[in-house]
Amino acid sequence: VTGESAIKPEYTGSGTLVLEPTYKHILLVNVADWNGSIVLDDGLFLACESTLKHKAVMRSNLSSAVAGNEGLFIQGNGILCLESACPKEELVEITLNNDVLKVDGNMAIAWSGSLDFTVERSGKSLIGSAASGEGLVNVYRGTGKVLLAPVTKGIA
């Protein structure tokens, strides 16, 4: 469903792990910094510690299921390795405290599992949405963090 491989090898012991070459940037994320759970946009997952549990998630409501992509839900304590189109220094991390963040386009690449994600019209009415030229926005509600990339995935 998510385009991720269903079979993932597990390596144990000590030593050096060498990955295939990539033109993307490797990001290490401590899931504890995201209150123990994080949802990744499709295609970012590279590897994680065995202490983390991961599963594909379908969107929980109709609006996000229709307009949002699938995601990968990661839960537990440990380090997660992501493959990003841009370096960590260019990513924007936004912290929400019982707040709402509306994002135009697919700039959000990860968000706390505690946040409620929906896709909504950008205007109060369908005519207002059409007049603004925007249409739909991704909405994150609650307490947690959202990680934004400076460019959409289709461009990067």
Side-chain angles (χ1 to χ4, degrees), residues 66-118:
V66 171
N69 293 328
E70 297 84 14
L72 188 65
F73 180 78
I74 311 277
Q75 184 175 26
N77 289 313
I79 304 298
L80 173 64
C81 184
L82 306 179
E83 196 173 31
S84 171
C86 64
K88 184 177 184 179
E89 299 78 30
E90 293 181 16
L91 297 173
V92 177
E93 186 178 290
I94 296 176
T95 302
L96 301 176
N97 187 5
N98 289 321
D99 211 347
V100 177
L101 174 67
K102 295 183 179 184
V103 180
D104 181 23
N106 56 359
M107 304 284 195
I109 61 171
W111 55 93
S112 297
S114 59
L115 293 174
D116 180 33
F117 169 71
T118 59

Side-chain angles (χ1 to χ4, degrees), residues 24-142:
K24 294 186 177 182
H25 301 270
I26 305 300
L27 308 176
L28 298 178
V29 175
N30 186 346
V31 178
D33 294 341
W34 293 75
N35 295 328
S37 67
I38 188 171
V39 180
L40 303 175
D41 209 15
D42 192 18
L44 291 174
F45 180 83
L46 193 57
C48 69
E49 290 186 287
S50 61
T51 56
L52 295 171
K53 304 282 186 256
H54 52 86
K55 65 179 178 178
V57 291
M58 296 302 291
R59 302 302 184 214
S60 59
N61 56 51
L62 182 62
S63 68
S64 59
V66 171
N69 293 328
E70 297 84 14
L72 188 65
F73 180 78
I74 311 277
Q75 184 175 26
N77 289 313
I79 304 298
L80 173 64
C81 184
L82 306 179
E83 196 173 31
S84 171
C86 64
K88 184 177 184 179
E89 299 78 30
E90 293 181 16
L91 297 173
V92 177
E93 186 178 290
I94 296 176
T95 302
L96 301 176
N97 187 5
N98 289 321
D99 211 347
V100 177
L101 174 67
K102 295 183 179 184
V103 180
D104 181 23
N106 56 359
M107 304 284 195
I109 61 171
W111 55 93
S112 297
S114 59
L115 293 174
D116 180 33
F117 169 71
T118 59
V119 177
E120 300 173 5
R121 291 191 314 251
S122 61
K124 293 189 187 262
S125 69
L126 190 56
I127 294 171
S129 293
S132 71
E134 304 276 315
L136 300 173
V137 292
N138 294 332
V139 180
Y140 304 88
R141 285 185 175 82

